[in-house]
């Protein structure tokens, strides 16, 4: 029922109008957006339970999850490159069963091959924490946490491949349904294992890691069942001849995926570094930064979901060799993503205290300075939202054209030369402190969004869609 309610037409038939394209985009993007928000809820659940164990355990979990998450984002970006490849194949030929199966199979192989070296790396988590000059007790607990959490890496990466494949095949609703069930499993797992309810042992931090592993294994099993049993997708026999390798197809996915993975790493590392810079200023600044950034991250899930859908829609148009459809799909996605962020930016400007009150009491005297700083950062975040939405969707439409290398270079330059450079200059050189750091973040996002949009508008002259109809 979930899948049928969100089915998308496959094949190379272009919508006749921008309105039809917008309806197709919304139907594809909405379940992906909801699934993204549910993923955030899963992470929040872990924090809520672990926070009750004490500051040492919370610090260990925070450091461990940060390191794990950076790697997971990169792996999902790498293997998720199968989405534009599958979309292009479907755009070229409605019933591209064999080609879709080959792309899926090699993306699944890549999820295992690419995960293995990072598993080995994270099994040395305590040593990595000590090299980063972390407290030895926290480092030891983070290492024990990661020793278990690494078991979730391959299932999580493989589930990501299955998710984008199901979406490309017109069944994005399964992402919402499966992630909702996963949230319930994670809640139950943490409740049973962290504090030892219903006769289970109280395993503390390790219990939270086990709950996360079980959740990811459940998601993997659910996606596998859906791909094999769903009426539309089972005809692709995606797990058929799973042992057969096709290295050229894996290289094609990796060629597109490595720049995506690096782009995500550049962006994530910028925001993590901003938190470190805030720590050099003061504890209150870190708290205000965390609140403002969390609000912005929740809103970002909408353009991120639109970007994922746009990659598929533009990819199908690219495969169909239809210039008009490519332009329509791209511009509709950009209008949708930026339009939503314009609404959220307006809300941040009009009702900033309402957002802050979700996290702290804005009227409590002890929170006075925290609230003042958070209000300042949210003003910048309002502009930040527009640029963040634009860069996310612009990157998505360019991925649909299988253009990933130059966007990676743009991201490295925009985030780290412009964004980080301005943050250092204003925050410390001119002593604007946290406000200067946030202006730097906004400047980096603005630079990346402008350059990516320029590249999209110049797609013909740059040869991004050669020899199309």
């Amino acid at each position: 029922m979930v899948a049928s309610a969100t089915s998308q037409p496959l094949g190379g038939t272009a919508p006749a109008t921008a309105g039809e394209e917008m309806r197709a985009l919304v139907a594809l993007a909405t379940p992906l957006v909801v699934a993204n928000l549910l993923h955030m809820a899963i992470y929040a659940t872990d924090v809520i339970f672990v926070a009750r164990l004490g500051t040492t355990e919370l610090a260990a979990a925070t450091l461990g999850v940060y390191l794990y998450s950076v790697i997971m984002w990169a792996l999902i970006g790498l293997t998720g490159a199968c989405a534009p490849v599958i979309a292009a194949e479907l755009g070229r030929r409605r019933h591209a069963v064999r080609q879709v199966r080959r792309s899926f199979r090699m993306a699944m192989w890549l999820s295992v091959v690419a995960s293995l070296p990072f598993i080995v790396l994270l099994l040395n988590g305590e040593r990595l924490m000590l090299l980063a000059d972390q407290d030895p007790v926290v480092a030891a607990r983070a290492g024990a946490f990661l020793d278990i959490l690494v078991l979730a890496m391959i299932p999580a990466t493989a589930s990501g491949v299955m998710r984008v494949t199901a979406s490309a095949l017109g069944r994005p609703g399964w992402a919402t349904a499966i992630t909702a069930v996963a949230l319930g499993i994670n809640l139950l797992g943490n409740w049973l294992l962290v504090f030892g309810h219903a006769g289970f042992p109280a395993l503390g931090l390790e219990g939270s890691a086990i709950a996360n592993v079980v959740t990811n294994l459940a998601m993997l099993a659910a996606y596998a069942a859906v791909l094999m049993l769903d009426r539309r997708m089972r005809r692709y026999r995606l797990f058929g001849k799973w042992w057969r390798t096709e290295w050229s197809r894996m290289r094609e996915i990796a060629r597109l995926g490595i720049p995506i993975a690096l782009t995500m790493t550049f962006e994530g590392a910028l925001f993590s570094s901003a938190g470190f810079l805030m720590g050099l200023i003061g504890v209150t600044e870190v708290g205000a930064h965390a609140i403002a950034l969390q609000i912005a991250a929740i809103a970002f899930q909408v353009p991120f979901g639109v970007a994922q859908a746009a990659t598929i829609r533009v990819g199908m148009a690219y495969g169909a060799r239809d210039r008009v459809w490519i332009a329509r799909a791209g511009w509709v996605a950009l209008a949708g993503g930026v339009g939503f962020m314009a609404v959220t930016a307006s809300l941040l400007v009009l009702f900033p205290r309402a957002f802050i009150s979700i996290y702290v009491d804005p009227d409590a005297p002890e929170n006075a300075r925290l609230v003042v700083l958070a209000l300042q950062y949210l003003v910048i975040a309002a502009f930040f939202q527009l640029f963040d939405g634009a860069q996310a969707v612009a990157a998505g439409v360019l991925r649909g054209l299988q253009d990933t290398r130059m966007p990676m270079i743009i991201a490295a330059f925009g985030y780290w030369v412009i964004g980080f450079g301005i943050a250092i200059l204003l925050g410390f050189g001119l002593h604007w402190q946290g406000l200067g750091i946030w202006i730097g973040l906004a400047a980096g996002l603005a630079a990346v969004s402008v350059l990516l949009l320029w590249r999209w508008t110049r797609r013909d002259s740059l040869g991004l869609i050669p020899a199309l109809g």
Side-chain angles (χ1 to χ4, degrees):
M1 181 176 175
V2 174
S4 62
T6 55
S7 297
Q8 289 294 301
L10 299 178
T13 303
T17 65
E20 290 181 7
E21 179 61 44
M22 179 61 80
R23 285 192 291 274
L25 178 74
V26 169
L28 181 56
T30 299
L32 296 177
V33 169
V34 176
N36 292 339
L37 291 169
L38 290 170
H39 269 292
M40 290 194 69
I42 290 174
Y43 295 137
T45 297
D46 293 335
V47 172
I48 290 169
F49 278 94
V50 172
R52 299 182 183 182
L53 297 173
T55 55
T56 297
E57 301 294 87
L58 178 59
T62 300
L63 290 171
V65 168
Y66 166 66
L67 188 57
Y68 175 84
S69 297
V70 168
I71 293 171
M72 276 307 310
W73 271 109
L75 288 172
I76 288 173
L78 170 66
T79 56
C82 67
V85 176
I86 290 173
E89 290 160 350
L90 294 170
R92 277 191 288 271
R93 195 158 60 90
R94 181 185 179 92
H95 302 294
V97 172
R98 183 177 298 175
Q99 294 302 319
V100 168
R101 183 167 59 244
R102 287 174 177 170
S103 295
F104 170 78
R105 182 170 67 241
M106 296 320 297
M108 290 290 286
W109 271 74
L110 185 59
S111 71
V112 176
V113 172
S115 295
L116 291 176
F118 292 109
I119 289 174
V120 174
L121 177 69
L122 292 185
L123 286 173
N124 292 280
E126 181 179 357
R127 294 177 185 174
L128 293 173
M129 299 296 170
L130 291 174
L131 286 173
D133 202 27
Q134 299 300 310
D135 179 85
V137 175
V138 172
R141 297 301 294 133
F145 179 71
L146 285 170
D147 285 346
I148 299 170
L149 191 61
V150 292
L151 298 175
M153 184 166 285
I154 290 176
T157 309
S159 293
V161 173
M162 295 183 188
R163 170 180 163 168
V164 298
T165 301
S167 299
L169 294 177
R171 294 296 202 230
W174 285 117
T176 300
I178 292 172
T179 311
V181 173
L183 175 59
I185 293 172
N186 197 59
L187 275 166
L188 179 61
N190 273 280
W191 184 77
L192 292 174
L193 297 174
V194 173
F195 299 108
H197 291 108
F200 282 80
L203 299 177
L205 186 60
E206 285 82 354
S208 182
I210 293 170
N212 202 293
V213 173
V214 171
T215 299
N216 279 282
L217 287 171
M219 290 181 70
L220 181 68
Y223 274 117
V226 164
L227 293 182
M228 289 188 291
L229 300 176
D230 179 88
R231 180 174 54 83
R232 173 176 291 174
M233 294 187 290
R234 68 188 178 196
R235 69 188 182 86
Y236 288 89
R237 293 180 287 113
L238 292 170
F239 294 99
K241 299 180 180 178
W242 60 267
W243 61 86
R244 180 175 293 177
T245 57
E246 193 169 335
W247 301 117
S248 61
R249 184 61 56 95
M250 183 185 285
R251 284 193 297 272
E252 179 185 2
I253 295 170
R255 178 182 61 82
L256 295 174
I258 290 173
I260 296 174
L262 290 173
T263 298
M264 290 182 168
T265 302
F266 292 147
E267 184 176 3
L270 174 68
F271 287 98
S272 298
S273 297
F276 173 75
L277 294 178
M278 288 289 186
L280 298 178
I281 299 170
V283 174
T284 304
E285 282 78 2
V286 172
H289 171 76
I291 290 171
L293 194 60
Q294 183 68 17
I295 293 168
I298 292 171
F300 176 71
Q301 300 311 307
V302 174
F304 182 50
V306 171
Q308 292 171 312
T311 296
I312 294 170
R313 296 297 302 171
V314 174
M316 291 177 68
Y318 179 82
R321 310 175 74 79
D322 188 330
R323 289 180 183 273
V324 174
W325 187 8
I326 288 172
R328 181 180 294 141
W331 286 117
V332 164
L334 285 163
V338 176
F340 177 85
M341 295 308 261
V343 173
T344 62
S346 300
L347 293 174
L348 289 180
V349 171
L350 294 172
F351 310 108
R353 289 179 70 87
F355 287 98
I356 292 171
S357 67
I358 297 171
Y359 299 91
V360 297
D361 180 0
D363 298 317
E366 64 271 20
N367 294 332
R369 177 164 169 74
L370 177 73
V371 171
V372 168
L373 291 172
L375 287 171
Q376 291 179 355
Y377 301 161
L378 282 178
V379 172
I380 305 300
F383 296 97
F384 174 120
Q385 296 282 289
L386 297 174
F387 301 133
D388 209 9
Q391 67 83 21
V393 181
V397 298
L398 289 170
R399 287 168 194 161
L401 300 179
Q402 302 189 12
D403 178 37
T404 60
R405 189 179 67 86
M406 186 53 68
M408 174 196 68
I409 295 171
I410 288 171
F413 173 76
Y415 294 139
W416 283 95
V417 177
I418 295 179
F420 193 73
I422 290 177
I424 293 292
L425 174 64
L426 297 183
F428 298 94
L430 298 183
H431 305 290
W432 290 13
Q433 299 192 325
L435 188 62
I437 292 171
W438 268 76
I439 291 173
L441 293 177
L445 288 167
V448 173
S449 64
V450 168
L451 291 171
L452 291 178
L453 287 170
W454 174 85
R455 189 164 177 81
W456 164 252
T457 59
R458 301 285 293 173
R459 60 191 178 278
D460 286 300
S461 60
L462 292 173
L464 300 183
I465 46 175
L468 299 185

